[in-house]
Every structure is written in structure tokens, then in C-alpha cells.
Amino acid sequence: MTDRLSGVLTFVQAAEAGSFALAAKRLGLSRSAVGKSIARLEERLGARLFLRTTRKQGLTEDGQVFYERCVRALAELEAAEAELDSGRRAPTGRLRVTASVLFGRHCVAPLLGELARQHPELEVELSVSDRVVDLIEEGFDLAIRVAPLSDHAGLTARRLGVQNMVVCASPAYLARRGRPKSLEDLGKHEAVLYGRQGTAKPWRFPDPRGGERLVPMRGRLRFDDLEAIADEAVRGAGLAWLPCWLVAPRLSKGELTLLLQEEGRHGNEVFAVWPQNKHLPSKVRAAIDLLAARIPEILSTGEARGKRRSRATRAAPPSRDGNRGG
């Protein structure tokens, strides 16, 4: 029975992938293993399931009928397992999560490590990538996305918080070039920019009328890595526009200073996204609950530290040369 079910799963993956090679990649098998499994299934059924040529692969008429039946049967099995699993107290099995590289590394990975320590029967896998992953096609249980959701088809989402972007610079840069007092002043300054393929995106700020204000910035340094931008800002290369949680440690050390705190903040919503399912597996529910409880705290850390540092700077006594400390 186990071999029969394995053959059915392989057949469905091969039918949906459109090729044995892609099905093998999704299943973690070799292409030859997939081919042999399909061959055994065809022999057992006494019917040819696939039409294969050098250019394409498709289902035969018998294959299409068998595929539709298999999909319904597997859906019933999955629903039965999910219904039982949703009543379990302790999450078990493998949880596959995807997130953007930097946010995943700094904000998601520590929480998933905590989740694994809380549930010894749970196996956690995190894949970090800055591309938008197809959860259903690539077999992920959960995605953490820092952006407006453009596609809800077959997906469910839960808002985890807001990632605020802020303008910051090093004390050395501000001593050399002065402190911008308004958004209009930003154009007078050098910036360390985020850019890919030779273009840098303008900085975005909330407009009093409810829209967005785009401010193009100039700078000789362009990186496609936010952490590299933060490091160069610390070295005094220019202003930077970064997430609060990323600059938080540098604010605490006094390496960076928040600027334009009232008008210079822009937020991107953070979502947990997962495939629609009538019965949410306990492993996914446990992950979402932990992320929903802890992500807002992580996202607000930078702003809290920046405000404390700013108040301390304003309260500092004048230094010997007549300038204020900090």
C-alpha cells in the first residue's frame, strides 16, 4: 500500500509539474527514480498515463481521468490529516518557511529557532530569498512578506506589524555636512542608496494628504544590500534610509542618529502568508502565533532606541567648543 501511494504522489507531481525533471526536484528525487515510479504505476494499472515526446509531455486520456481521481483522493487524505493535526497540542513534522534575505536572517530565523526549541518533535526549514516565492508550487507552509500583497489567490494572510523606514546618518557625517531639518533639505546631502541594475529607487515618505511623497536622492555609493548601506552610513558616507530594526543596534551604540523623526518615517506592512486550508495545521498555527506575538516588538525596537538617544542628545550639556554633545 505504501508503494502504491508513493507512486500516486509521484504521478500527481509529474502531471502538475509538466516534466519528470521538475517533479523530481520538488520531490527531492532523481529523474530516473520518478521515471521508474511512473513506469511501475503504468504497469500495475495496465494503462499508459503520459504521452512523451522529445519536446513535451502530457497526460493521455486515461492519465487525465486517473489524475482527477487521484487529486480528489489526496485532497481528502490531506483534509483528514489536517483536521486531526489541528487538534493536537504539540506541533510535529516539517515546517517550511520562506522570507526575504535580511528580514529572514535577522527577524524570522531567531524566532523559528525558538519555536523549534519549544517543540522537540517539530523540524523547521527556513529558505531566504528576495524573490516572491510561489508557496503552493514550491511546497512552502508559510511566507513572511514585507510588502503590499499583490496576489491573494489561494492564500490567506495575517498582518504582523509595520516595518518603518527611517532616515539616519553618523554623528561624523552630521558634524561635517550639517543636519537636515526637513524633507526639502535631503537633496542637499549625499546618500548611500539601495539600487539594483544601475538604478536607485527614490525614498518614500508619507504625504500629509494621505498619499506618498517620493524624494530622489543622489549618491556615489549604491548597494543592493541594506546591511552594507548601514555599515557605510556608520563610516560617514552619507544619509541612509533603512528599517528601524536594522539600525537599532547602531543607534544604541551612538554610531547612527535618527533624523526627521516626525515626517521622515515610511511604513511597509509585514504579513504572514500561507496556502488556504480549512483546517490549519498545528505547526503552521504555532509559527504564526509566535511571529504575531514577537515581530511587532522587533519592528518597534529601532524607533524606541532612536527616540531615547535623541532625547539624551538634546539633554546633553554643551561641550567645550560650544557645540552640544552627542
Side-chain angles (χ1 to χ4, degrees):
M1 178 61 72
T2 301
D3 290 341
R4 292 175 67 184
L5 183 58
S6 175
V8 168
L9 288 170
T10 303
F11 163 70
V12 170
Q13 282 288 344
E16 293 179 348
S19 76
F20 287 4
L22 183 54
K25 183 178 180 181
R26 293 178 183 176
L27 291 166
L29 301 172
S30 66
R31 188 187 184 287
S32 63
V34 171
K36 290 176 183 177
S37 178
I38 298 297
R40 286 194 298 269
L41 181 62
E42 289 179 327
E43 183 178 358
R44 190 175 80 240
L45 296 173
R48 191 173 184 183
L49 301 176
F50 287 97
L51 288 171
R52 295 182 288 275
T53 68
T54 55
R55 292 188 175 183
K56 62 180 181 178
Q57 167 185 304
L59 291 171
T60 63
E61 186 176 343
D62 286 339
Q64 184 64 39
V65 172
F66 188 61
Y67 168 75
E68 292 171 2
R69 295 263 185 169
C70 288
V71 168
R72 288 198 293 270
L74 291 174
E76 285 296 319
L77 280 173
E78 185 177 345
E81 289 183 3
E83 187 171 359
L84 289 173
D85 181 70
S86 64
R88 291 178 183 165
R89 292 185 178 180
T92 62
R94 184 174 67 152
L95 175 71
R96 298 191 69 220
V97 183
T98 176
S100 60
V101 175
L102 209 56
F103 194 82
R105 184 191 308 149
H106 286 270
C107 302
V108 178
L111 297 182
L112 292 182
E114 182 178 327
L115 183 71
R117 289 189 290 273
Q118 291 174 359
H119 303 288
E121 299 300 316
L122 183 65
E123 180 182 339
V124 180
E125 177 184 317
L126 173 64
S127 175
V128 293
S129 173
D130 287 333
R131 66 183 178 87
V132 178
V133 172
D134 187 320
L135 272 69
I136 297 172
E137 184 165 330
E138 299 186 42
F140 283 97
D141 299 298
L142 186 65
I144 311 303
R145 294 182 176 168
V146 187
L149 296 180
S150 57
D151 182 14
H152 290 277
L155 302 175
T156 304
R158 179 173 176 180
R159 184 179 179 275
L160 300 179
V162 177
Q163 172 185 273
N164 280 320
M165 302 289 291
V166 293
V167 181
C168 56
S170 72
Y173 175 85
L174 296 176
R176 188 173 72 250
R177 295 292 303 272
R179 188 184 187 108
K181 305 291 190 207
S182 66
L183 296 184
E184 287 72 18
D185 290 343
L186 293 179
K188 305 171 186 175
H189 286 263
E190 281 283 321
V192 187
L193 302 172
Y194 181 88
R196 284 185 173 178
Q197 299 178 341
T199 61
K201 294 182 179 180
W203 293 358
R204 294 179 292 155
F205 302 99
D207 186 278
R209 291 167 291 187
E212 274 189 345
R213 180 175 177 181
L214 303 182
V215 178
M217 298 295 296
R218 61 183 177 86
R220 294 181 297 112
L221 291 176
R222 296 180 183 181
F223 301 122
D224 66 356
D225 181 88
L226 295 179
E227 195 141 38
I229 292 174
D231 290 341
E232 280 305 307
V234 167
R235 297 184 186 106
L239 306 182
W241 190 58
L242 296 165
C244 279
W245 58 264
L246 179 59
V247 301
R250 297 164 174 87
L251 295 173
S252 293
K253 298 175 184 176
E255 295 174 336
L256 290 175
T257 300
L258 283 187
L259 306 169
L260 306 174
Q261 291 191 47
E262 296 306 318
E263 59 181 332
R265 185 183 296 109
H266 175 82
N268 289 311
E269 292 185 301
V270 181
F271 293 93
V273 184
W274 64 95
Q276 287 179 356
N277 196 324
K278 184 178 179 181
H279 301 285
L280 188 64
S282 59
K283 62 184 180 180
V284 179
R285 185 183 302 279
I288 294 170
D289 288 345
L290 179 62
L291 292 165
R294 300 288 296 281
I295 288 291
E297 177 186 346
I298 293 171
L299 294 175
S300 64
T301 299
E303 287 187 281
R305 291 180 178 177
K307 289 176 181 177
R308 288 197 299 268
R309 182 79 187 177
S310 179
R311 285 196 296 267
T313 300
R314 287 196 298 268
S319 61
R320 291 182 181 177
D321 61 2
N323 296 321
R324 296 194 66 83

